[in-house]
Amino acid sequence: MTDTGGAPGGEGADTPTPSQGVPQAPVPGSGEPRRSEDHAASPATPPRGWQAPDAQAVPPTPPPGWQHGPGHRPDAPPPFPGQQPPYQQTPYQQAPYQQPRWNPHGLGKPGVIALRPLNIGDILDGAITAIRRHALLVLGIGAVVAVITAAITFVVQKYALANLADFASTVELGPAATEAELRNALFGTFGDAFLVLISSSLVSTFLLTITTGLMATVMGRAALGREVTFGIAWREVQPRLPALLGVAFVYALLTTIGVMLCIIPGVLAWVFWALAAPALVLERGTFREAFARSVKLVSGAFWRVLGVLLLARIIESIFENIIQLPFSIGSGVFSQMFNPGKVAVPSTGDLLLASAGQIIAGTIAIPFVALVTVIVYLDQRMRREGMDIELARAAGVQPPQAW
């Protein structure tokens, strides 16, 4: 028997042969003729990246379950070469994403102010809107405070008329008056005028602070669009009335003395402690916490708070001067302007007439300044502590979604 096994690494018994169906490649140079390729038998392979021309393109077959849109026409002509077919929205397709629109009221405006950081126009408009919507309550409180202020001012001015009359009689003596008489009359008159100025400023600041505490309860409900009456406001402020009186007295005393002795300390105390009354009433804190909260809210926004409060006082002064102008004409103030060398002593009737003008003007001006102060407090809390979100939740307003 012939041994068919080969050497290691060579052809063995398991090596396939051409008879087993495995073609063998011709060895180069073996002399075997090369068969001619039949190009008609095999399809031509297109080059890479080749696409059929649009003129010969066949419309694509839609996938299973696809439906035409509501505007599809079966008899519509096919699109031109290079033109995309019109978009048809199918039932399962969603509407395109729309960017949420900006809301000028922030989280809403359920009441008299928008629930977002406010500018100066929003603050003034909020105070005026609160007066219009709750005119009976706001103007009623303002009228009571204005009557008390005018009564105290009348008593102080009436007391100061004695030295003013003595000074007028001394001036009329002319050269006959001695130097001591002129000096005593002059210092006595200026002392009484200084006393009247301090007393009026102290009383007006004290009563304005109390009014601010009362208006805090009004604005707290008006900002949410809720009903507010004098009974509701009084029930909320009554438990904190002793602390409110203490805050008002300390604030009025320190700011008045600070302004009279040195302007800068008085202005600092007037601005940094301006929000103590609203903080006391709305946050239900203590005497010390009210001043601490006011300083914390004003810190970092001193010039802004100063500008808003100063603008409110300027508007108040202009309004009061316009209202009191007819009463000042009747009291004889303009006669003193045209004759400055004559010392005019107002009578009791002149003081009563001036007090009437003060009451009418203060009925609107005092609540306006108090409401502006409360709105500044709310605005600072919305800027620093996100109180607008809390107010929106309390008012039941659904905040706008970002997506």
Side-chain angles (χ1 to χ4, degrees), residues 193-246:
F194 188 73
L195 177 63
V196 171
L197 184 61
I198 291 181
S199 301
S200 300
S201 177
L202 183 63
V203 170
S204 61
T205 306
F206 175 78
L207 294 177
L208 179 61
T209 306
I210 295 179
T211 307
T212 304
L214 294 174
M215 291 301 167
T217 60
V218 176
M219 181 56 66
R221 299 182 66 87
L224 301 178
R226 298 178 180 176
E227 180 185 0
V228 55
T229 60
F230 182 79
I232 296 176
W234 177 251
R235 284 195 299 269
E236 292 185 3
V237 78
Q238 185 178 4
R240 287 168 290 279
L241 186 59
L244 179 61
L245 294 175

Side-chain angles (χ1 to χ4, degrees), residues 172 336 339-344:
E172 291 178 355
Q336 178 69 24
N339 191 6
K342 181 182 178 180
V343 179

Side-chain angles (χ1 to χ4, degrees), residues 254-268:
L254 294 182
T255 54
T256 302
I257 295 177
V259 171
M260 294 300 175
L261 298 181
C262 185
I263 296 178
I264 296 180
V267 172
L268 293 177

Side-chain angles (χ1 to χ4, degrees), residues 57-304:
V58 180
T61 303
W66 184 88
Q67 297 179 1
H68 291 287
H72 174 72
R73 295 190 307 170
D75 56 345
F80 293 99
Q83 179 182 1
Q84 297 294 334
Y87 171 78
Q88 300 293 341
Q89 183 176 356
T90 57
Y92 57 83
Q93 290 177 335
Q94 298 180 354
Y97 171 76
Q98 295 180 357
Q99 184 71 18
R101 297 181 179 179
W102 175 76
N103 188 357
H105 300 312
L107 298 181
K109 191 178 180 181
V112 297
I113 60 174
L115 302 184
R116 59 171 173 79
L118 307 174
N119 53 38
I120 189 169
D122 298 328
I123 294 175
L124 300 180
D125 179 74
I128 297 175
T129 305
I131 295 176
R132 292 176 56 188
R133 292 188 180 181
H134 309 281
L136 184 61
L137 173 62
V138 173
L139 297 182
I141 296 176
V144 173
V145 176
V147 168
I148 298 175
T149 304
I152 296 176
T153 304
F154 172 80
V155 172
V156 175
Q157 290 178 348
K158 186 65 177 177
Y159 170 78
L161 287 179
N163 288 334
L164 185 60
D166 293 340
F167 179 71
S169 61
T170 304
V171 171
E172 291 178 355
L173 292 177
T178 62
E179 183 179 355
E181 291 177 346
L182 290 174
R183 183 173 60 253
N184 292 335
L186 181 63
F187 280 106
T189 302
F190 278 106
D192 290 340
F194 188 73
L195 177 63
V196 171
L197 184 61
I198 291 181
S199 301
S200 300
S201 177
L202 183 63
V203 170
S204 61
T205 306
F206 175 78
L207 294 177
L208 179 61
T209 306
I210 295 179
T211 307
T212 304
L214 294 174
M215 291 301 167
T217 60
V218 176
M219 181 56 66
R221 299 182 66 87
L224 301 178
R226 298 178 180 176
E227 180 185 0
V228 55
T229 60
F230 182 79
I232 296 176
W234 177 251
R235 284 195 299 269
E236 292 185 3
V237 78
Q238 185 178 4
R240 287 168 290 279
L241 186 59
L244 179 61
L245 294 175
V247 169
F249 178 77
V250 173
Y251 177 70
L253 181 64
L254 294 182
T255 54
T256 302
I257 295 177
V259 171
M260 294 300 175
L261 298 181
C262 185
I263 296 178
I264 296 180
V267 172
L268 293 177
W270 178 60
V271 176
F272 276 107
W273 291 341
L275 309 182
L280 175 69
V281 174
L282 295 179
E283 299 183 16
R284 303 178 181 180
T286 61
F287 177 85
R288 293 183 178 181
E289 292 174 353
F291 285 100
R293 284 288 295 162
S294 179
V295 173
K296 181 179 180 180
L297 293 175
V298 176
S299 299
F302 174 82
W303 295 108
R304 184 177 184 275

